[in-house]
Structures are given as C-alpha cells and as structure tokens.
Amino acid sequence: MVREVEENELNELLELYLFLHEKFLPEMTEHLRNTWRTIMQDENHHIIVKEIDGKIVSSCVCVIIPNLTRNIRPYAFIENVVTHGDYRGKGYATECLNYAKGIAEKTNCYKMMLLTGSKKETILNFYRNAGYNSTDKTAFIQWFE
C-alpha cells in the first residue's frame, strides 16, 4: 500500500533514512519533535511511504511550493527518495514517485523536479524511467554547515 505517513511513524521513517545517507538515528530532541509536528501540520508537505506487511520499505517527500508565475500554478519538489536495502529493485520507489505525481497533478502543479547526488547510471536511469529528465534545467547547490 502506498500512502502518506502517519504521525506515529516517525521512528520507522527515521530508520528507513539510514538507507538514504544518514549514519545514525537522531536523538529524540524537542527540536526533532517540533520539526516533525511542523511537517505533519503543513498541507503542502507530503511524506509518501510504501508499506508491506506493516513495514515502511520505501518513501519520498513531495513538497508543493506556491508560485506567482506560470499562471499562478505551484510546482512540486521531490526529496529523500529511499528504499530499504532488502526491498530494492521491486518498483516501490517508483510507486511512491507516482503517488507524488498524483498529488502534484491534483494541486495543479506545472512541473515536478528533483535533484540527485548520485552519478550511478542505474540511479539516473531509474529517474529517467520515472519520467524525469536532466536536460531541461541546470541545478546549482550551495551547502551550509
């Protein structure tokens, strides 16, 4: 089943993020709880999960960003696409991305975009096969400490 995350699933989501780029589970601080609460209350912030046998095995985040151009149409940004290592190659992340696409279409977004730090051709092909291209835009990132 693909759906949006529920408020009581923070710990399971954080455990899944260990397969993304996190090295350890964060401490359950007030800052973390407040951030989670903010995300859960934001109607434009969607954390999409694939559940199998009661376990979250894949996820992505879709944020709808209000916009003053393109006939006042919002756009969607995808982040934190991840699948548990034992469940990869089964199409679960694609299901999450398709769910996100449905949200973007329902909210009248004019585009959906994502960034990846991967240079692996298999990962790049995964995004191409999901309908994304790397030719329309050039991404620049500025990191902060």
Side-chain angles (χ1 to χ4, degrees):
M1 167 196 315
V2 179
R3 60 177 173 76
E4 292 200 44
V5 74
E6 296 175 7
E7 194 161 352
N8 65 342
E9 295 176 313
L10 173 59
N11 287 333
E12 194 171 355
L13 184 66
L14 293 174
E15 287 177 16
L16 180 62
Y17 285 166
L18 293 173
F19 291 91
L20 186 60
H21 48 67
E22 299 301 308
K23 304 233 184 299
F24 56 88
L25 289 173
E27 185 180 335
M28 191 57 67
T29 62
E30 192 61 29
H31 178 62
L32 176 58
R33 284 190 287 277
N34 287 338
T35 300
W36 181 243
R37 197 172 309 113
T38 298
I39 290 169
M40 290 285 91
Q41 293 171 355
D42 185 348
E43 67 180 18
N44 287 320
H45 200 129
H46 305 270
I47 300 178
I48 298 149
V49 297
K50 169 71 175 183
E51 176 188 333
I52 296 198
D53 297 326
K55 178 179 177 148
I56 294 174
V57 300
S58 189
S59 180
C60 73
V61 173
C62 176
V63 179
I64 306 301
I65 302 169
N67 182 40
L68 295 173
T69 65
R70 302 286 180 153
N71 204 26
I72 322 300
R73 291 176 66 193
Y75 56 93
F77 191 80
I78 302 297
E79 185 63 73
N80 297 336
V81 179
V82 61
T83 300
H84 186 290
D86 296 340
Y87 293 85
R88 291 186 177 154
K90 299 179 185 337
Y92 300 148
T94 299
E95 289 182 49
C96 290
L97 289 173
N98 287 338
Y99 192 99
K101 183 178 179 180
I103 292 171
E105 290 173 334
K106 186 175 80 177
T107 56
N108 197 32
C109 289
Y110 77 93
K111 71 177 176 183
M112 201 160 111
M113 59 186 165
L114 62 80
L115 301 171
T116 181
S118 179
K119 304 295 184 213
K120 292 181 183 175
E121 202 58 34
T122 55
I123 301 294
L124 301 178
N125 283 334
F126 163 74
Y127 289 122
R128 287 184 191 107
N129 290 335
Y132 296 86
N133 75 69
S134 58
T135 57
D136 290 348
K137 299 269 185 175
T138 302
F140 292 89
I141 299 174
Q142 186 174 73
W143 296 95
F144 301 107
E145 302 254 348

